[in-house]
Amino acid sequence: MPLLPDADPFYQDGSDVGVLLVHGFTGSPRSMKGWGHYLADAGYTVSVPRLPGHGTSWQEMNKTRWEDWYGEAERELHDLASRTGTVFVMGLSMGGSLALRLAEN
């Protein structure tokens, strides 16, 4: 399934402090890239994943569930944590809810 313009994930290596940015429901990494670039320019290691089914079409998104979205956020958190000493997780709307669940678990 082709991606919408600028919906691809964003990753930038930086310091030993990582930042995971999680976009919202029906969104894509595009909505978080400005923030991601700002943090990367400040020297942080930044990851902005694309949640499954997002950034394509409603038909593709309709095939996914919250567990798929959470699973992707959790994978990215573990990957980022394996390469940095400290990780901060931030999210927009539903991405904020996923960030809270990551913190809880």
Side-chain angles (χ1 to χ4, degrees):
M1 178 68 58
L3 290 179
L4 295 172
D6 205 27
D8 54 312
F10 171 77
Y11 183 84
Q12 180 69 48
D13 278 322
S15 71
D16 193 41
V17 177
V19 181
L20 173 60
L21 300 176
V22 186
H23 66 78
F25 184 68
T26 74
S28 74
R30 179 181 183 178
S31 64
M32 304 299 276
K33 284 185 181 175
W35 196 8
H37 286 290
Y38 175 82
L39 292 167
D41 290 346
Y44 298 102
T45 296
V46 179
S47 178
V48 185
R50 183 179 64 86
L51 301 178
H54 290 75
T56 56
S57 68
W58 69 265
Q59 294 91 340
E60 185 70 21
M61 187 175 176
N62 199 37
K63 298 175 188 175
T64 62
R65 301 183 47 159
W66 76 267
E67 294 92 347
D68 302 314
W69 310 328
Y70 179 75
E72 181 64 20
E74 187 176 44
R75 277 188 292 282
E76 287 294 325
L77 172 62
H78 291 301
D79 183 57
L80 199 53
S82 74
R83 290 182 281 110
T84 60
T86 303
V87 178
F88 293 92
V89 183
M90 302 169 213
L92 174 65
S93 190
M94 180 195 73
S97 296
L98 294 173
L100 286 172
R101 183 167 172 90
L102 287 170
E104 176 186 29
N105 293 332

